[in-house]
Amino acid sequence: AKAEARRAAALALEGTSCGLFGPTHPARRAANRLVSAPPFEAGVLVCILLSSVALALDSPLLRPGSVLRRVVDGADLAFTLLFGLELALKCFAKSVRVYLRSGWNVLDA
């Protein structure tokens, strides 16, 4: 019962997003369902873990052009894009004002 109440609260929308999309707009509701889904949250956690591994492998001593340097640089770009997409989706779904109410989201942004 508590889990369902938390899920319902997570799916509740308020205000407008981007000054255009109200709480009942289909695109906003779809984005909110996506970012509130447990598999999405689990995927973000996996990306955080993998990003941390890539960060641990990075070193100024890596030879330019080495395989490891290319892998680390590619991972850095991929994770930057993925985390940027996550931020954009959550800000669109929740609205920037609502998203930034959470201290964790402020730190994340």
Side-chain angles (χ1 to χ4, degrees), residues 14-105:
E14 60 184 73
T16 61
S17 180
C18 305
L20 297 171
F21 304 97
T24 59
H25 193 279
R28 187 168 172 209
R29 291 178 59 155
N32 192 45
R33 280 191 305 275
L34 174 66
V35 301
S36 299
F40 182 87
E41 294 174 1
V44 169
L45 289 176
V46 167
C47 285
I48 291 169
L49 177 66
L50 293 174
S51 174
S52 298
V53 169
L55 184 62
L57 291 174
D58 197 2
S59 167
L61 302 178
L62 289 177
R63 288 189 329 269
S66 69
V67 172
L68 186 55
R69 166 57 48 205
R70 290 192 310 251
V71 168
V72 168
D73 288 347
D76 183 42
L77 177 61
F79 289 124
T80 298
L81 293 172
L82 286 170
F83 293 137
L85 179 61
E86 175 208 6
L87 174 66
L89 281 170
K90 286 184 174 181
C91 285
F92 173 68
K94 304 291 185 188
S95 86
V96 174
R97 183 175 296 142
V98 172
Y99 180 78
L100 293 177
R101 283 183 193 162
S102 165
W104 286 111
N105 289 340

